[in-house]
Amino acid sequence: MATFISVPLKKSTEVDLVKPLTKFISATYSAAEDQGEYVRAAEELNKLRKSAVGRPLDKHESSLEVLLRYYDQLCAIEPKFPFSENQLCLTFTWKDAFDKGSLFGGSVKLALASLGYEKSCVLFNIGALASQIAYEQNFDNDEGLKTAAKYYQLASGAFSYIKDTVLSALNREPTMDISPDTVGTLSQIMLAQAQEVFFLKATSDKMKDAIIARLANQAADFYGDAFKQCQYKENLPKEVLPVLAAKHCIMQANAEYHQSLLAKQQKKFGEEIGRLQHATELVKTVASRYDEYINVKDLSDKISRALTAAKKDNDFIYHDRVPDLKDLEAIGKAALVKSTVIKVPISQKFTDLFEKMVPLAVQNSMTVYNSRKAEIVNRLIGQMREATNLSNGVLASLNLPAALEDLSGDSIPQSILEKSRAIIQQGGLQSIDQLIKDLPELLQRNREILDESLRILDEEEATDNELRNKFGQRWQRTASNDLYKPLRTEGGNARNVLDKAVQADIVVKQRYGTHREMIALLCKPEAELNAAIPSANPAKTLQGSEVVSVLRALLANVNEVKMEREKLENDIKSAQCDMTSKFLTALAQDGAINEEAISVTELDNIYGGYTQKVQQSLKIQEEILGKIQNSHQEFSTMRQSNADANQREEMLKKLAAAHDSYVELSSNLKEGTKFYNELTEILLKFQNKCSDIVFARKTERDELLKDLQQSIAQQPSAPSFPAVPAYQSTPSSTATPATATSSVPTPAPRTVFQSKPQPPARPPPPAIQAQAANTSTPPASGAGPIPPATQPVSTPGATPSPAQGPPYPTYQGYPGCYQMPVAYNPYAYGQYNMPYMYQAPGQAPYPNVQQPQQPGYPYPQQPYYPQQ
């Protein structure tokens, strides 16, 4: 089976999705039925994540299906939940897929509160698992080849999608495995392998040689591009680079081989030999340099047999000229593969767990719409209530209708009795006193919740600033000061609301103090109330007058207007419109929601008629009040005036005003109590939000501190050794030559690729006089004898073993330079093939003994790629 490259999976830590999602659902959706359904969906999502990333995955399509479903579900919930550091904070931790525990291959792991980061890592695992499934296929049958090509293209598409989206999804530097450069290289590798699978399929189906040659040449081109991108990726496994280089040569050799068969069919025998020779060179390069990774014996034998036969036929029969490689016509290319486009949903079996939940954009639009609606409703109702209060005030100032009912001057007017009974039924002074007593407790509770929420934010921010000052640039996470700005703005708004509510409470208490005495009088029994009202002379002459009838008719009109307003107010409050479906339709059609245009249009349709009715009611009231004032002036003129009557009328006015104030104060205090209770719920949600984000920040802080401590612990204690003192590096002048020089041969220097000077002329061989083999020249003065273990021993006729120098590193070449591989020639003579003779200092050569020579080091081989 051919050698293919597969990508390892990323590993993640466990994340509890249920708790934060349940909190958001409980705070956002009030209906118990919806809450229960969404909570169950959150639990299913948590199970799906454990199945997708919380356990080892088999290299099977069923495991890939789980990953695809989880990725589709992440894409489905992304617009429905406010995933961010300062709202719904979920921290996902993933390890680098290629990291082996070293600090130099990229970050070991990265923890981010970003759903986009989770999606990118899951999509990486989709590409990795697809490459592993393709790798496990049987390439000897059609079904295996088709499956492998399908999954290699899926893997290429997944890596390509990550390349285009990862930076915008993370807004920070990712780990090396999902960086755009790395995933771009992986995408190109997967595409090249898919093209190779098509080449194998064409070869298996015995298609025309011209087509096979083009497929192979395109695969070689893909592998060449992948090799160029992979040259400087130190985080990838070490076997990737040589495999890509070998695959490029193999695919090009296959292309030349099949093109040579086409040339043979066209009776271009010289071209056939030229292409086979080039294919032979390519295969030899792979065999000599990459045999550890890929076995090309079968291909090499096939090409060798074809070349031998072609040469034999050409030498004896055709005598066609063999063209140079540069004169051969370029082989065409045929790309049959492309990266699979990642389009959600990827899985054919996907079902959204939160199908009934509307997207977050619709939720936000509904929130703004409800604010606009509430503003219109409050404005219309406020106008009507203000007009009603104005009417009550005018009538109270005119002592109407009590003045019409008090013509006798010695009994309680019926309207005053009704007002007294209404106050007693509503609880009288005790209900007002209890409501006023409860307000400070509710206010204090809200203040404590708000103060505690801001306190935990302040503590976490102070800790973050302290660690940021301590670690400097290594403290790489969003500053708490920037992260908490929306929360602090929300907290500031809540505090402003509380301050305004306190001022409103003060106004209510002052007004209550002004009317408390009269309200208390209305709460007394009828006899005490009658005794408290001054009596006056009877005015029986006005009972049948026309002005009294006119005033009573006008007062009836006022009451009718008030009843119409109550009905109109209920209609305004109950007006509804299904805006959710309208926003969903707009989102589906345009991909975005123009909330302002849609909301303004619908609100005009709903409340336009009500606005006209309210304005008409205000106009009618104004006309009626004007007529009442004119008639009352005539009534006052006709009425007998004296001091007792004035006192009685003034008392009745105060009682009527006290009743109106009681009704308004009771309504205001009940609304204030309701406001504080609702504000408590809002502030509790705000406190939970602050607690959640602070907890997430503490978890992130602990992880970052752990990584920093490990990084600091593994760093060397000193960056470099101190400079060697001069007395240690300079040899003593009194040292003997034997001790001043090393007795070990100095290894050849490392290769430095610069302009090389021409080597000197080869020296003549040493002249050796015929002497006895056991004679030796006395050592030079000051030099000791060579120890026996180090003396060279030579056997006549035997070849001395060459001295082995240090190996040379493989040089990849600078970008754009890919030289033709050069085979090692042991007879070549150059800078690296100089004969080496070792001779101890002061030691004469041994007679009749050939000194061992160190052979030249082979020229560092370079991967073969033609100049682009």
Side-chain angles (χ1 to χ4, degrees):
M1 186 178 67
T3 301
F4 287 92
I5 296 172
S6 61
V7 181
L9 296 171
K10 290 175 68 67
K11 296 180 180 179
S12 176
T13 57
E14 184 176 355
V15 178
D16 183 14
L17 302 178
V18 178
K19 183 177 178 181
L21 292 181
T22 302
K23 279 188 175 182
F24 174 81
I25 292 168
S26 302
T28 306
Y29 300 94
S30 56
E33 183 178 353
D34 292 341
Q35 284 190 9
E37 183 177 355
Y38 295 153
V39 169
R40 289 191 294 272
E43 293 173 352
E44 290 297 322
L45 177 62
N46 196 55
K47 293 179 182 178
L48 182 59
R49 187 182 193 276
K50 289 182 178 179
S51 300
V53 301
R55 63 181 181 87
L57 296 177
D58 298 330
K59 300 175 183 179
H60 192 267
E61 295 180 9
S62 60
S63 299
L64 182 62
E65 179 64 27
V66 175
L67 273 175
L68 294 177
R69 284 177 48 217
Y70 179 56
Y71 179 80
D72 288 338
Q73 189 60 65
L74 290 177
C75 295
I77 67 172
E78 186 175 20
K80 299 181 180 181
F81 291 91
F83 293 101
S84 64
E85 288 184 296
N86 53 9
Q87 294 188 53
L88 185 54
C89 185
L90 284 172
T91 302
F92 301 99
T93 303
W94 287 84
K95 296 182 180 179
D96 191 312
F98 301 110
D99 191 87
K100 305 300 182 183
S102 170
L103 295 177
F104 304 104
S107 302
V108 175
K109 60 183 176 180
L110 177 63
L112 285 181
S114 168
L115 189 70
Y117 176 53
E118 174 85 347
K119 287 171 53 183
S120 298
C121 294
V122 172
L123 189 57
F124 181 93
N125 275 5
I126 289 174
L129 186 58
S131 72
Q132 294 177 14
I133 294 174
Y135 181 87
E136 294 295 325
Q137 297 303 310
N138 183 4
F139 293 90
D140 294 332
N141 58 54
D142 289 350
E143 192 63 29
L145 290 172
K146 291 178 181 179
T147 303
K150 170 186 172 183
Y151 285 117
Y152 277 136
Q153 291 178 87
L154 173 61
S156 178
F159 294 133
S160 178
Y161 187 83
I162 297 173
K163 174 186 176 183
D164 298 334
T165 60
V166 65
L167 294 181
S168 60
L170 269 64
N171 292 325
R172 63 160 292 168
E173 191 69 23
T175 49
M176 291 295 292
D177 55 347
I178 59 173
S179 64
D181 290 344
T182 302
V183 291
T185 301
L186 294 177
S187 176
Q188 187 64 33
I189 292 174
M190 297 298 116
L191 199 63
Q193 295 187 152
Q195 180 73 18
E196 182 181 356
V197 170
F198 272 95
F199 160 76
L200 296 176
K201 179 70 167 61
T203 304
S204 175
D205 294 345
K206 298 181 179 180
M207 299 180 70
K208 294 181 179 180
D209 292 310
I211 297 177
I212 298 177
R214 292 186 177 186
L215 293 175
N217 197 35
Q218 182 65 68
D221 193 47
F222 283 154
Y223 277 119
D225 293 340
F227 175 82
K228 294 175 187 177
Q229 296 179 24
C230 188
Q231 275 190 295
Y232 305 103
K233 303 293 186 302
E234 298 181 356
N235 59 312
L236 294 178
K238 63 179 182 179
E239 65 270 12
V240 172
L241 191 66
V243 168
L244 293 178
K247 283 296 189 74
H248 172 78
C249 294
I250 291 173
M251 287 295 102
Q252 196 168 358
N254 276 295
E256 295 288 358
Y257 172 75
H258 287 280
Q259 192 69 19
S260 72
L261 297 180
L262 180 62
K264 182 178 181 180
Q265 296 171 10
Q266 298 174 352
K267 301 186 181 303
K268 299 178 181 179
F269 304 106
E271 179 182 345
E272 176 192 7
I273 296 174
R275 293 192 182 279
L276 289 174
Q277 288 177 345
H278 185 205
T280 301
E281 294 174 0
L282 292 169
V283 172
K284 285 183 178 179
T285 300
V286 176
S288 62
R289 301 174 62 183
Y290 309 116
D291 186 56
E292 178 183 355
Y293 305 99
I294 296 181
N295 185 4
V296 291
K297 186 176 186 303
D298 293 341
L299 178 61
S300 178
D301 293 343
K302 180 172 66 173
I303 295 174
S304 296
R305 289 193 299 269
L307 178 59
T308 302
K311 284 185 175 180
K312 181 178 180 181
D313 292 342
N314 192 55
D315 291 342
F316 288 96
I317 303 174
Y318 307 114
H319 303 287
D320 195 6
R321 186 184 69 86
V322 179
D324 294 336
L325 178 62
K326 61 182 180 180
D327 297 331
L328 293 176
E329 183 179 354
I331 303 174
K333 300 175 184 178
L336 296 185
V337 296
K338 62 179 180 179
S339 301
T340 302
V341 178
I342 302 300
K343 187 176 181 180
V344 178
I346 310 175
S347 172
Q348 302 299 325
K349 303 178 182 179
F350 170 68
T351 302
D352 189 2
L353 297 175
F354 298 88
E355 186 175 3
K356 294 184 179 180
M357 183 181 290
V358 298
L360 190 61
V362 176
Q363 297 180 30
N364 294 336
S365 298
M366 285 297 300
T367 302
V368 179
Y369 166 77
N370 290 331
S371 299
R372 296 179 189 275
K373 175 183 175 182
E375 182 181 352
I376 295 176
V377 171
N378 292 336
R379 176 170 55 81
L380 295 176
I381 294 177
Q383 289 176 353
M384 291 189 294
R385 289 183 178 180
E386 184 179 354
T388 301
N389 293 335
L390 176 62
S391 174
N392 293 337
V394 170
L395 296 180
S397 65
L398 300 177
N399 194 25
L400 293 176
L404 299 179
E405 299 167 353
D406 191 35
L407 296 179
S408 62
D410 55 358
S411 63
I412 302 176
Q414 186 64 29
S415 62
I416 298 298
L417 286 175
E418 293 177 356
K419 288 179 171 59
S420 175
R421 295 191 191 102
I423 289 177
I424 293 172
Q425 288 178 356
Q426 295 182 27
L429 288 176
Q430 292 181 354
S431 64
I432 298 293
D433 291 338
Q434 185 62 40
L435 290 173
I436 292 178
K437 181 181 178 182
D438 292 341
L439 287 180
E441 297 179 3
L442 297 174
L443 174 65
Q444 183 62 25
R445 180 177 63 181
N446 288 329
R447 285 190 183 277
E448 290 176 355
I449 295 174
L450 181 59
D451 292 341
E452 176 63 18
S453 303
L454 296 178
R455 183 190 64 80
I456 60 178
L457 292 181
D458 293 337
E459 288 183 357
E460 201 284 326
E461 182 176 343
T463 304
D464 182 71
N465 292 334
E466 180 182 352
L467 293 173
R468 190 174 301 280
N469 294 332
K470 179 178 179 180
F471 292 104
Q473 295 182 351
R474 289 181 294 179
W475 194 250
Q476 296 180 352
R477 72 168 185 169
T478 306
S480 297
N481 183 31
D482 298 333
L483 188 63
Y484 295 157
K485 284 181 180 179
L487 292 175
R488 294 196 180 279
T489 301
E490 188 175 349
N493 294 336
R495 193 172 295 281
N496 293 335
V497 169
L498 284 176
D499 294 340
K500 291 180 181 179
V502 170
Q503 296 298 323
D505 294 344
I506 294 174
V507 173
V508 170
K509 291 179 181 178
Q510 291 176 350
R511 189 171 183 181
Y512 177 62
T514 302
H515 296 279
R516 192 179 192 281
E517 183 179 355
M518 291 294 103
I519 295 173
L521 185 59
L522 287 172
C523 293
K524 294 182 179 299
E526 184 177 347
E528 295 183 17
L529 178 61
N530 191 15
I533 300 175
S535 60
N537 293 329
K540 296 181 180 180
T541 55
L542 295 177
Q543 289 184 357
S545 65
E546 183 180 358
V547 68
V548 173
S549 301
V550 172
L551 282 174
R552 285 176 176 170
L554 291 174
L555 290 177
N557 292 336
V558 170
N559 290 332
E560 184 179 351
V561 170
K562 290 180 180 179
M563 293 177 61
E564 290 179 355
R565 283 179 184 165
E566 290 179 359
K567 182 178 182 300
L568 185 59
E569 180 176 337
N570 292 331
D571 292 342
I572 291 174
K573 288 181 178 179
S574 61
Q576 297 292 335
C577 179
D578 186 12
M579 294 301 297
T580 300
S581 60
K582 294 184 181 297
F583 287 140
L584 284 173
T585 302
L587 183 62
Q589 291 178 352
D590 305 331
I593 300 176
N594 188 352
E595 182 276 329
E596 182 177 1
I598 299 174
S599 298
V600 170
T601 302
E602 292 299 325
L603 290 174
D604 287 343
N605 295 335
I606 297 172
Y607 296 103
Y610 292 126
T611 302
Q612 294 178 0
K613 292 180 180 180
V614 169
Q615 295 300 325
Q616 185 178 359
S617 175
L618 297 179
K619 185 177 180 181
I620 293 174
Q621 175 182 296
E622 186 178 357
E623 294 176 356
I624 295 174
L625 289 179
K627 293 178 180 180
I628 289 176
Q629 288 175 340
N630 294 332
S631 299
H632 183 269
Q633 186 175 3
E634 183 180 352
F635 172 77
S636 300
T637 303
M638 294 174 62
R639 190 174 182 183
Q640 184 180 358
S641 178
N642 54 49
D644 293 338
N646 291 336
Q647 290 180 1
R648 181 179 178 83
E649 185 175 358
E650 191 65 29
M651 175 61 74
L652 294 177
K653 289 180 180 179
K654 289 182 179 179
L655 291 175
H659 169 267
D660 294 339
S661 297
Y662 179 88
V663 173
E664 187 176 356
L665 287 171
S666 178
S667 175
N668 291 340
L669 290 172
K670 289 179 180 179
E671 288 181 356
T673 303
K674 180 181 178 182
F675 163 78
Y676 280 126
N677 289 328
E678 292 177 350
L679 184 62
T680 299
E681 295 180 3
I682 295 174
L683 290 177
L684 286 175
K685 294 178 182 179
F686 176 72
Q687 186 181 28
N688 290 334
K689 189 188 300 185
C690 295
S691 301
D692 291 343
I693 190 173
V694 167
F695 177 78
R697 294 283 287 178
K698 287 182 179 179
T699 304
E700 182 184 11
R701 179 190 66 196
D702 295 341
E703 291 288 337
L704 189 55
L705 279 174
K706 182 180 178 181
D707 294 342
L708 285 174
Q709 290 171 356
Q710 292 178 353
S711 174
I712 294 173
Q714 296 184 16
Q715 287 180 354
S717 57
S720 60
F721 289 102
V724 179
Y727 73 90
Q728 294 183 7
S729 59
T730 304
S732 174
S733 59
T734 59
T736 61
T739 59
T741 60
S742 173
S743 61
V744 181
T746 303
R750 297 282 181 174
T751 304
V752 179
F753 292 92
Q754 298 176 353
S755 58
K756 299 188 288 289
Q758 293 296 327
R762 184 170 182 175
I768 301 177
Q769 298 178 357
Q771 294 180 4
N774 57 355
T775 59
S776 61
T777 305
S781 176
I786 300 178
T790 63
Q791 293 180 2
V793 179
S794 176
T795 302
T799 303
S801 61
Q804 297 296 326
Y808 281 87
T810 302
Y811 175 68
Q812 304 294 346
Y814 56 85
C817 177
Y818 306 96
Q819 299 182 2
M820 179 72 72
V822 181
Y824 170 63
N825 183 0
Y827 301 101
Y829 177 76
Q831 180 180 358
Y832 306 104
N833 299 88
M834 292 289 293
Y836 178 81
M837 296 184 182
Y838 169 71
Q839 179 177 337
Q843 177 67 44
Y846 288 90
N848 296 333
V849 177
Q850 183 178 0
Q851 297 296 328
Q853 296 183 1
Q854 180 170 336
Y857 290 86
Y859 192 80
Q861 300 177 357
Q862 303 191 16
Y864 170 71
Y865 285 100
Q867 294 286 346
Q868 300 296 323

